[in-house]
PDB file of all heavy atoms in Angstrom:
ATOM      1  N   VAL A  48    -129.990  89.338  20.549  1.00  0.00           N
ATOM      2  CA  VAL A  48    -129.474  90.261  19.525  1.00  0.00           C
ATOM      3  C   VAL A  48    -130.765  90.791  18.764  1.00  0.00           C
ATOM      4  O   VAL A  48    -131.630  90.109  18.418  1.00  0.00           O
ATOM      5  CB  VAL A  48    -128.657  89.516  18.475  1.00  0.00           C
ATOM      6  CG1 VAL A  48    -128.007  90.459  17.450  1.00  0.00           C
ATOM      7  CG2 VAL A  48    -127.507  88.748  19.163  1.00  0.00           C
ATOM      8  N   THR A  49    -130.766  92.145  18.765  1.00  0.00           N
ATOM      9  CA  THR A  49    -132.003  93.007  18.353  1.00  0.00           C
ATOM     10  C   THR A  49    -131.534  93.899  17.248  1.00  0.00           C
ATOM     11  O   THR A  49    -130.615  94.757  17.535  1.00  0.00           O
ATOM     12  CB  THR A  49    -132.702  93.682  19.470  1.00  0.00           C
ATOM     13  OG1 THR A  49    -132.875  92.699  20.530  1.00  0.00           O
ATOM     14  CG2 THR A  49    -133.970  94.124  19.043  1.00  0.00           C
ATOM     15  N   VAL A  50    -132.280  94.102  16.178  1.00  0.00           N
ATOM     16  CA  VAL A  50    -132.067  95.204  15.163  1.00  0.00           C
ATOM     17  C   VAL A  50    -132.601  96.434  15.937  1.00  0.00           C
ATOM     18  O   VAL A  50    -133.896  96.420  16.271  1.00  0.00           O
ATOM     19  CB  VAL A  50    -132.749  94.900  13.877  1.00  0.00           C
ATOM     20  CG1 VAL A  50    -132.747  96.051  12.834  1.00  0.00           C
ATOM     21  CG2 VAL A  50    -132.214  93.700  13.173  1.00  0.00           C
ATOM     22  N   VAL A  51    -131.879  97.452  16.005  1.00  0.00           N
ATOM     23  CA  VAL A  51    -132.376  98.663  16.613  1.00  0.00           C
ATOM     24  C   VAL A  51    -132.537  99.825  15.629  1.00  0.00           C
ATOM     25  O   VAL A  51    -133.134 100.918  15.915  1.00  0.00           O
ATOM     26  CB  VAL A  51    -131.492  99.083  17.787  1.00  0.00           C
ATOM     27  CG1 VAL A  51    -131.639  98.126  18.907  1.00  0.00           C
ATOM     28  CG2 VAL A  51    -130.058  99.319  17.320  1.00  0.00           C
ATOM     29  N   GLU A  52    -132.126  99.788  14.485  1.00  0.00           N
ATOM     30  CA  GLU A  52    -132.105 100.724  13.488  1.00  0.00           C
ATOM     31  C   GLU A  52    -132.401 100.197  12.004  1.00  0.00           C
ATOM     32  O   GLU A  52    -131.551  99.132  11.765  1.00  0.00           O
ATOM     33  CB  GLU A  52    -130.953 101.759  13.456  1.00  0.00           C
ATOM     34  CG  GLU A  52    -131.015 102.939  12.642  1.00  0.00           C
ATOM     35  CD  GLU A  52    -129.869 103.759  12.783  1.00  0.00           C
ATOM     36  OE1 GLU A  52    -129.520 104.017  13.965  1.00  0.00           O
ATOM     37  OE2 GLU A  52    -129.319 104.297  11.773  1.00  0.00           O
ATOM     38  N   GLY A  53    -133.151 100.660  11.132  1.00  0.00           N
ATOM     39  CA  GLY A  53    -133.337  99.990   9.920  1.00  0.00           C
ATOM     40  C   GLY A  53    -134.288  98.954   9.907  1.00  0.00           C
ATOM     41  O   GLY A  53    -135.036  98.570  10.837  1.00  0.00           O
ATOM     42  N   SER A  54    -134.504  98.259   8.696  1.00  0.00           N
ATOM     43  CA  SER A  54    -135.411  97.207   8.701  1.00  0.00           C
ATOM     44  C   SER A  54    -134.804  95.821   8.384  1.00  0.00           C
ATOM     45  O   SER A  54    -135.344  94.880   7.813  1.00  0.00           O
ATOM     46  CB  SER A  54    -136.501  97.482   7.538  1.00  0.00           C
ATOM     47  OG  SER A  54    -135.741  97.670   6.240  1.00  0.00           O
ATOM     48  N   GLY A  55    -133.544  95.639   8.632  1.00  0.00           N
ATOM     49  CA  GLY A  55    -132.808  94.434   8.246  1.00  0.00           C
ATOM     50  C   GLY A  55    -133.104  93.357   9.237  1.00  0.00           C
ATOM     51  O   GLY A  55    -133.816  93.425  10.230  1.00  0.00           O
ATOM     52  N   THR A  56    -132.674  92.166   8.829  1.00  0.00           N
ATOM     53  CA  THR A  56    -132.788  90.992   9.613  1.00  0.00           C
ATOM     54  C   THR A  56    -131.387  90.497   9.868  1.00  0.00           C
ATOM     55  O   THR A  56    -130.542  90.785   9.154  1.00  0.00           O
ATOM     56  CB  THR A  56    -133.524  89.807   8.913  1.00  0.00           C
ATOM     57  OG1 THR A  56    -133.066  89.555   7.676  1.00  0.00           O
ATOM     58  CG2 THR A  56    -135.052  90.280   8.726  1.00  0.00           C
ATOM     59  N   ILE A  57    -131.245  89.708  10.970  1.00  0.00           N
ATOM     60  CA  ILE A  57    -129.915  89.270  11.368  1.00  0.00           C
ATOM     61  C   ILE A  57    -129.995  87.692  11.643  1.00  0.00           C
ATOM     62  O   ILE A  57    -130.982  87.163  11.961  1.00  0.00           O
ATOM     63  CB  ILE A  57    -129.463  89.981  12.603  1.00  0.00           C
ATOM     64  CG1 ILE A  57    -130.569  89.907  13.730  1.00  0.00           C
ATOM     65  CG2 ILE A  57    -129.032  91.440  12.284  1.00  0.00           C
ATOM     66  CD1 ILE A  57    -130.048  90.563  15.062  1.00  0.00           C
ATOM     67  N   ALA A  58    -128.815  87.125  11.567  1.00  0.00           N
ATOM     68  CA  ALA A  58    -128.601  85.744  12.041  1.00  0.00           C
ATOM     69  C   ALA A  58    -127.398  85.817  12.924  1.00  0.00           C
ATOM     70  O   ALA A  58    -126.462  86.488  12.717  1.00  0.00           O
ATOM     71  CB  ALA A  58    -128.317  84.810  10.821  1.00  0.00           C
ATOM     72  N   ALA A  59    -127.541  85.078  14.022  1.00  0.00           N
ATOM     73  CA  ALA A  59    -126.465  85.158  15.100  1.00  0.00           C
ATOM     74  C   ALA A  59    -126.156  83.738  15.503  1.00  0.00           C
ATOM     75  O   ALA A  59    -127.054  82.818  15.670  1.00  0.00           O
ATOM     76  CB  ALA A  59    -126.872  85.976  16.327  1.00  0.00           C
TER      77      ALA A  59
END
Side-chain angles (χ1 to χ4, degrees):
V48 183
T49 309
V50 175
V51 292
E52 187 175 317
S54 60
T56 57
I57 53 174

